[in-house]
Amino acid sequence: MTASSRETKAAHIRHILDTEGDAVSSNTQGFNEGRYESVADLESYDALKAEARAVKEDAIERLPSLIEQLRETVEENGGTLYIADDAADANDYVREVVADVDGERVVKSKSMTSEEMELNEALFEDGVDVVETDLGEWVLQVADEAPSHIVAPAIHKSREGIAELFTEQFDPDEPLETAEDLTMFARRKLAEKITAADVGVTGANFVAADSGTMALVTSEGNARKTVTATDTHVAVAGVEKVIPTVEDLHPFVELIGRSGTGQDITSYVSLLTPPVDSPTLDFQADELGPADDREFHLVLIDNGRMAMRGDEDLRETLYCIRCSACSNACANFQQVGGHVFGGETYSGGIATGWEAGIEGLDTASEFNDLCTGCSRCVNACPVGIDIPWINTVVRDRVNRDTDAEFDWLVEGLTPDEEPGGVTLQKRLFGNFSTLAKLGSATAPVSNLLADNPVSRRVMERVAGIDRRRALPKFERETLQAWMADRPPVVDAEREVVLFPDLYTNHVQVERGKAAVRVLEALGVGVRLADVCASGRAPLSQGMVETARRHAESIADALLPHVESGRDVVVIEPSDHALFQREYENLLDGEAHERLKANSYEILEYVYGCLANGADPDALRSGDGEQIAYHSHCQQRTLGVERYTEAVLDDLGFDVVTSDVECCGMAGSFGYKQEYYDVSMAVGEELETQFTTAETDERTIVASGTSCQEQLDDLLTRSPRHPIELLTPVVRTERVSGD
Amino acid sequence: MSQTTTTSAREQFRDRLQDFDVESTVVSPDEVTATLEQIASPPAVGVAPSDGRYELPDTVETEFSPADLEAAETGVTEATLGISDYGSIVVPTTQAGVEPVSLFADQHLAVIDERDIVRGMDDGLARMGDRFREAQFSGIIATGPSATADMGALVKGAHGPKTVHVVVVEQ
C-alpha cells in the first residue's frame, strides 16, 4: 500500500467515523450487551453451541447428498429446487419465474443472499418494481445506500436521519418525529406495496432436507406477509443453509437471536414447508383463492461455496448462520460498521471468509486488516468458527497474491519466509524480533534515532507508522542479561520456565523482573527461556510461515522444560493466548497439546501457587489501594483474566474493571497510519471508563503490552502490569545489588 | 405429563408471555366463547379451531375477504403449541387462513389448550417433527407482537400485530 492510498483510506475511515460512528457504536454495543445478558440466562448455552456446531459440521460434510434429498422433498411437496452456479445463473432463474407469472411487482423480505446476487438490479432491468419490506432495508432502498450490518442493515442511520429522509422523499401530511411515527408511516406505505405484489422473495436461514421446511428468522412480520400475500414464493439462499432434519433447527432457534441482537428469540421464526397451504389473497378483486394456486421455488446458490467446502481453511465459513455476533463483539466494527469493515455484501469478522470465497482476495483485502485477531468474536460465535484464523489465512493469501513491493529494501532487513508481496509495513511489524534485538543492542541511540521528527516522517511515509504514536523504548539491559547472573533459588518447591516475550525482554523489562521476584517470593525457582520470539508479530501480519517457524523453535525450546517437570509461565497475554489457541494451527497436535496443558499466564500461576498453600504475606499487600484494571482481549477469550482479579482482590486491592472488548491498539494495528483513527476511537471508550468520578484517581493496571501503550497515550496516568503491584516491599531478594 | 408439571409449565409460560408484553387469561373450556367475545375488539375476524373444541362468538366473522383482513382490529385463531421457556406459541398455517388472520389484524387473540404447552424448544420441535415430514406442516413460532428497532428505537407493531393476547384453556 502506498503512502497516498493509506491517506485515502484514513480519510474514508475518518469520514465514516464522523458521520456514522455514533449510531453504529450505540446500536452494536446495545446488541453486544444484549447478547451477554441473554446467553447468561441460558443454562445450556455451551451445550447448544456444541450441538449447533455439530449439525453444521455434519451438514457441510454431507452437503451434496443432503441437497439431493432436499430436491426430492421439495418436489414431493409441489415446489421446485434450482441449484444456481453463480449470481447470474440465480438471477436468470428468478427473472424467468417472475416473467412466467407476468409479475410486475416483487416484494422482498430481508435476504443477504439476494444482496450478494444483486437480484434487485437484475429485476429492475426487466422493468419489475422491487420493494424491500424489511423496514431497515426499505430505508436503505429509499436512501440508495448499502447495508452497514448483516442483521440490522440501517444501524448507521439515526432516527433524525430517517425522519429527514422520509420528509424529503414523501412529503408526509403529518410531521414524522418519533420512531413510532416513522414505523407506522413505513408500515402503511409498505402495506400498499405488499398487497399489490405478484411475487414474494425471501431468504432462508435454514432448510431441512428431510421435510423441505425452511426457517425464516424475523421480527417485523414482513416475511410472513411477503409469503402470505403473494401467490408465488421464491426463496433464495446459499447452498450451505441445508441441514439434515427439522429437529436440527433446535440449537439455532435458541441461539440465533441471542447471539445477534441479544433477543432470547425473535418475534417470528417461520417454519414453512412450501408451498404453504394458506388461501391466496387477491386484494384487488378482494377474493380468497385456493391454496393450490400457490407456487414455490427454492433457489440455492453455489457462487464459490462448494470450492470453499473443499478449502480446509475457508470451509468453516460455511458454518456461519449470519447472526452478526462477530460484528457486534468486534471493537473496530463497533466504531466503523460495515461501510468500512465489510466487502461487497458481507461485513464484520466473518466477512473475510465470505468475501474471499465469493468475490475473491481483492475484495477481502480491502477490509481484512480491520481484524486485529483480538479473538473477542471467538466465544461469541454460536457455531465456534475460528474467525481470527480465517482472517489470518486470508491475509497470508493476500500477501502471496500481491506483486512485490520494496523487495530491494526489505530482503536484508527482514529474514522471514515470506514472498515479496508482503508490504513493507507488514514486514516491519512482522519482524519485530529483529528490530527488538537491534533496538536493545544499540539503545539508547536506537531510541533517539527513532524518535526524532525526521525519522518519524520517513517512517510514516515509507512504512505507514503513524507519527502520533510513541514508539517503544528499548532497554539496553534485556531481561535475559539481567537474569544471567542471578543465582537460583535454593530448595525451590517447584520450578518454572518463564517466557521472556519480546516486549518483556527488550522494552518492559521491569515487569519481567517483577515476575521473577514474585515467583521467587512464593518459593518458585525461575529459569528464563532462551527464546523470545513467539511468532505473534508475524502471525498478526498474515505471515503464517514465519510464525510457524517461530512456533516450532518455541516448542523445541520449551517442551524439554515441560519434560523436566517445569511449568511454562507467560507474562504477555497475547503470547499466552498463542500457546493456548493459535499454535493449534501452527504446531503438530501433540506438541500443541503439551504446551497448552503446561503453560500459564503469570497471574494465573500466582493464583495457583496461593491456592496451593503459598504464603500471600510474601507478596505486597494491597491495603485498599484503588485499582482500575483493563484485562487483555485474548486473555478474556480464554477466561484467565479472572485470576488477576482474584489475586488482586485477595491481596486487598480495591479493583474496578473495564468492560470494553478491546483497547484498540492490538499490537501493530494502532501504529498503522490508516487505522490510527479507528484505534483511537476504540481507545476513547476505555478512556471514558477510566476517567469517571469513580476511576479517575485509580492506579491504572493492564496486562497486555499493547493495552499499556494505548492507555499511556490516552491517560495522564501511566499504566503498570499487575505483577508489578505484587513485588514484595520487604526485600526477599537472594542477591544484593540487582 | 403429571398435573403439577402441567401447572408449572403453564405458569412459566404465562410469566414469559408477560416478559414480551403479551397478556394472558386462563379460562375453563365452557368460558372460551364468552372470553373471546369480551377481549376481541370489533371488527374481528377468526378461524374456528380445527377440532371444534370451542366455538367462536358471533361477533367474530369467520367468512372474510382480504379487505376484511386489512380492516380487522382483532384476529382470533388457535395456537397448536406453546413453549413455556420462551413464551412462544405456534400458529399453524391452514387452508382456513389462520396465518393471515393472525397476521393482518392489529390484535392477535390466540387460544391454546394448556395440555399443548411444552417446556423447551427441543420438546416443541420434537413434537412437530413428524408433522413437517408427513403432513407438510407449516407454522410460525410467534413470541410477542411484531417489532422493529430499525427506526431508532424499539416499536411494537411493525408489519404484524401490535398486541397479542393468549387465552389458555384449563383442563
Side-chain angles (χ1 to χ4, degrees), chain A residues 77 133 136 179 183-184 187 210 219-220 222 224-225 247 250 254 258 264 267-271 273 277-279 286, chain B residues 16 65-67 86 93-95 99 102 133 136-139 141-143 145-148 150-151 157-160:
Chain A
N77 292 341
T133 62
T183 302
M184 292 310 144
R187 175 187 170 119
D210 66 339
S219 272
E220 294 180 357
N222 61 309
R224 294 176 65 188
K225 280 192 169 163
E247 286 85 348
H250 163 236
E254 295 215 53
R258 297 180 192 265
D264 292 354
S267 301
Y268 304 123
V269 178
S270 297
L271 302 174
T273 315
D277 51 12
S278 295
D286 200 22
Chain B
R16 288 295 272 159
S65 72
Y86 284 87
T93 297
T94 68
Q95 295 196 7
E99 169 66 352
S102 68
R133 277 180 290 267
Q136 210 184 325
F137 176 72
S138 296
I141 304 173
T143 314
S146 78
T148 186
D150 283 349
M151 298 293 169
H159 289 274

